[in-house]
Amino acid sequence: MNKKTFEQYQFIRLWEHDVNLAFYTLKILKRYKKDDVRNALLRDIIVTYARPFSSSKGKEIKKHKLSLKFVPSQKRNLHNELIDLRNQLFAHTDLQYKNPKVGKWDFGHYKMYPMSFKGFDYKKLHRKIDEITNLITEVHQNLKDKIRELQKNL
């Protein structure tokens, strides 16, 4: 196995670890009832699941990113929704998602600039926990299959 292929193998292993971590955090989530804890765990699950699908720096290859071929086609809409949440809300703050509105209140001797912005409905996402679990389980299995395939050449 050449250096570039070996580096790809290493990334596949690291990505499998990320997806596995998201899967086990889902198990922890199911034990909690308080919304504040559940919301924090759900954010962590999404950021961790999405990590392999973001660019990562390598040594032999400048950028690595997990291919969408590991995501079942019938689950791509949910996958895209989770990636968008990670990229626009949970790991970054994008204006497009938050859509902030700034007002100006002039009181003569001073001014105020209140701002409102779009919130997030965690309850809607919590209703998709079973779908998210199935998605993560299938991606995880696809990664494990790829690891077994690559290990034949080690």
Side-chain angles (χ1 to χ4, degrees), residues 33-137:
K33 302 295 178 213
K34 291 186 177 184
D35 285 342
D36 56 345
V37 175
R38 290 178 58 80
N39 294 348
L41 288 169
L42 194 51
R43 275 192 312 269
D44 181 71
I45 290 163
I46 291 169
V47 169
T48 304
Y49 167 77
R51 188 179 298 140
F53 300 97
S54 302
S55 290
S56 297
K57 294 178 184 175
K59 294 177 182 175
E60 298 296 322
I61 301 171
K62 286 190 179 197
K63 291 188 179 181
H64 292 265
K65 185 176 179 179
L66 185 59
S67 168
L68 279 178
K69 72 179 183 180
F70 288 90
V71 179
S73 58
Q74 69 276 17
K75 292 187 169 52
R76 293 263 170 89
N77 287 341
L78 177 59
H79 168 83
N80 291 337
E81 179 183 348
L82 299 181
I83 298 300
D84 287 347
L85 283 172
R86 183 256 181 220
N87 290 340
Q88 297 175 13
L89 181 65
F90 295 156
H92 302 278
T93 303
D94 284 1
L95 285 178
Q96 182 178 351
Y97 183 85
K98 292 280 193 171
N99 194 22
K101 306 289 184 214
V102 178
K104 180 180 178 181
W105 295 349
D106 190 340
F107 296 100
H109 57 289
Y110 71 95
K111 295 177 180 133
M112 290 182 64
Y113 301 90
M115 186 171 78
S116 62
F117 52 89
K118 180 181 174 184
F120 181 70
D121 182 6
Y122 278 96
K123 292 191 185 302
K124 180 180 173 188
L125 196 55
H126 281 290
R127 289 190 292 272
K128 295 182 180 183
I129 291 296
D130 289 339
E131 291 174 67
I132 293 169
T133 301
N134 290 336
L135 168 64
I136 290 173
T137 300

